[in-house]
């Protein structure tokens, strides 16, 4: 836990990245940082409750999987950290330093001894070596990053073959009133810091979508848990080009 309380600085190929459907309006890193700077102080109160089911479901899935080295992408204020099993060694990353400050306070306050590091880092371009982790879990991040397929490629690079990649996220409805509402909310993407109109196909290419486990999460299926096994015989995934 030595790094926790300190400030710290494919299967997917180029064609897959280039052909990925894009959300309606791109969010750049500065827009995301600005949004979460505004949200940091009230995030737990405003979003903690509605996202609790998805967060706990994702952590329970991580706890049930083999392997101990876990990367949590979008660790935020650290709401998930107390729920990991003690034998899971957690490295958390987030683009928002304001959120990470609160996560470090949580780790210190709760004396969480299985948190190895909390680092300010771009999830699309991490500084980790290939195959550093057994599991990567990205919570409410896929609809925030500028290039979701680049995020996927990076997680494939840092997770060992035979490991697992998990996403819990809100994905665009396929019809009904919710679809209309989400399309309307999309105009506020920059203020919200995420894409209400984010389709699962923007993250997962067809081959990955076909073999992923997809589970709706309460309340009312607002969030979805996606579990993607890393093929045990997977070819080495190159670090995505900047």
């Amino acid at each position: 836990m030595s790094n926790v309380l300190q400030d710290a600085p494919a299967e997917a190929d180029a064609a897959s990245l280039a052909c990925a459907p894009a959300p309606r309006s791109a969010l750049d890193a500065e827009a995301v940082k600005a949004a979460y700077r505004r949200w940091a102080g009230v995030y737990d109160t405003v979003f903690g409750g509605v996202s609790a089911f998805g967060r706990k479901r994702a952590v329970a899935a991580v706890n049930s999987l083999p392997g101990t080295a876990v990367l949590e992408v979008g660790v935020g204020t650290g709401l998930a950290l107390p729920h990991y099993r003690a034998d899971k060694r957690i490295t958390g990353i987030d683009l928002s330093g304001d959120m990470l400050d609160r996560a470090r306070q949580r780790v210190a306050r709760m004396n969480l001894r299985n948190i190895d590091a909390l680092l300010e880092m771009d999830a699309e371009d991490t500084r980790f070596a290939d195959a550093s982790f057994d599991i990567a879990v990205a919570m409410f991040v896929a609809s925030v990053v500028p290039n979701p397929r680049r995020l996927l490629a990076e997680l494939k690079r840092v997770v060992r073959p035979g490991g697992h990649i998990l996403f819990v996220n809100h994905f665009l409805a396929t019809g009904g009133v919710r679809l209309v509402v989400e399309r309307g909310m999309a105009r506020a993407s920059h203020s919200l810091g995420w894409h209400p109109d984010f389709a699962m196909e923007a993250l997962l290419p067809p081959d990955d979508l076909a073999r992923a486990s997809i589970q709706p999460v309460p309340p009312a299926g607002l969030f979805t848990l996606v579990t993607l096994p890393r093929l045990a015989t997977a070819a080495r995934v190159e670090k995505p080009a900047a």
Side-chain angles (χ1 to χ4, degrees), residues 12-240:
D13 55 20
S16 172
L17 292 172
C19 296
R24 290 192 172 192
S25 58
L27 292 177
D28 58 33
E30 291 308 313
V32 173
K33 284 183 179 180
Y36 282 89
R37 189 176 301 117
R38 293 192 297 271
W39 289 117
V42 296
Y43 184 88
D44 292 3
T45 300
V46 175
F47 294 106
V50 71
S51 62
F53 290 102
R55 186 181 306 106
K56 290 179 180 178
R57 187 69 60 86
V59 173
V62 169
N63 286 339
S64 71
L65 291 170
T68 58
V70 178
L71 173 65
E72 184 181 331
V73 180
V75 68
T77 63
L79 285 168
L81 296 178
H83 302 289
Y84 290 104
R85 268 183 6 206
D87 62 321
K88 300 294 187 185
R89 306 300 310 183
I90 313 302
T91 297
I93 64 172
D94 204 284
L95 194 60
S96 169
D98 299 272
M99 295 286 224
L100 286 169
D101 286 343
R102 294 177 181 274
R104 294 182 182 110
Q105 292 168 18
R106 188 185 305 275
V107 169
R109 184 173 65 252
M110 300 185 72
N111 195 27
L112 301 177
R113 297 183 179 276
N114 62 329
I115 313 303
D116 287 341
L118 295 172
L119 307 171
E120 187 170 337
M121 196 177 290
D122 184 345
E124 295 182 14
D125 184 22
T126 73
R127 301 188 294 273
F128 302 117
D130 294 356
S132 293
F133 299 97
D134 301 308
I135 304 164
V137 55
M139 302 190 192
F140 315 110
V141 170
S143 54
V144 172
V145 297
N147 303 288
R149 291 278 180 91
R150 197 172 299 279
L151 167 66
L152 176 63
E154 180 69 350
L155 296 187
K156 287 179 176 180
R157 185 185 69 80
V158 302
V159 172
R160 63 170 176 80
H164 293 81
I165 299 169
L166 294 84
F167 297 93
V168 63
N169 211 86
H170 169 81
F171 294 101
L172 181 68
T174 56
V177 174
R178 203 182 99 191
L179 176 62
V180 174
V181 171
E182 289 167 355
R183 291 293 194 195
M185 289 175 64
R187 291 188 292 272
S189 292
H190 276 70
S191 297
L192 292 170
W194 57 284
H195 288 290
D197 61 338
F198 183 73
M200 193 175 297
E201 291 78 6
L203 173 66
L204 298 178
D207 287 351
D208 286 341
L209 194 58
R211 64 189 183 84
S213 168
I214 300 172
Q215 300 175 301
V217 174
L222 182 61
F223 301 112
T224 302
L225 175 64
V226 178
T227 303
L228 181 66
R230 276 282 279 129
L231 298 176
T233 57
R236 181 175 180 271
V237 179
E238 297 292 339
K239 190 175 179 69

